Amino acid sequence: MRTKKATAPQNLDVLLKTELRTFTVADVVEKLDVSYKHARAVIDFGVAMDNLRVVKHPQDAGQLYAIYENPSWRKRWVSGVWR
């Protein structure tokens, strides 16, 4: 981000540590207790840094929000020990 007060990198770290696998902007607003603009900034920053990915665009299913996912959980799921 371009200002010294940018919080997207710190909020992205918090978001990546939560248990959310798939989420919308509204979920991020609720989970991080930030405004809609800040939640969008966090998600946009995460997508730009390849830490988040878009799963479903709003036009795909007539939804209000796009659905995003934290791809790191897939690695844990695939490489985890299963009994």
Side-chain angles (χ1 to χ4, degrees), residues 6 15 28 34 48 56 66 69:
L15 178 63
V28 175
V34 295
K56 207 174 245 194
E69 81 169 349

Side-chain angles (χ1 to χ4, degrees), residues 1-2 4 10 12 15-16 18 27 32 47 51 53-56 65-66 71-72:
M1 307 310 283
R2 295 185 178 144
K4 292 182 180 179
Q10 293 84 10
L12 178 61
L15 178 63
L16 292 175
T18 63
D27 296 332
L32 299 182
V47 170
N51 290 328
R53 73 171 62 133
V54 180
V55 175
K56 207 174 245 194
Y65 297 113
S72 66

Side-chain angles (χ1 to χ4, degrees), residues 48-67:
M49 300 300 294
D50 290 330
N51 290 328
L52 301 176
R53 73 171 62 133
V54 180
V55 175
K56 207 174 245 194
H57 292 280
Q59 63 268 23
D60 292 345
Q63 298 174 345
L64 181 60
Y65 297 113
I67 298 176

Side-chain angles (χ1 to χ4, degrees), residues 10-43:
Q10 293 84 10
N11 286 338
L12 178 61
D13 290 338
V14 172
L15 178 63
L16 292 175
K17 291 177 184 174
T18 63
E19 73 280 353
L20 293 176
R21 294 182 199 162
T22 59
F23 50 88
T24 63
V25 177
D27 296 332
V28 175
V29 167
E30 182 181 321
K31 191 69 171 176
L32 299 182
D33 194 29
V34 295
S35 69
Y36 179 85
K37 284 176 135 179
H38 284 103
R40 285 291 324 156
V42 170
I43 290 173

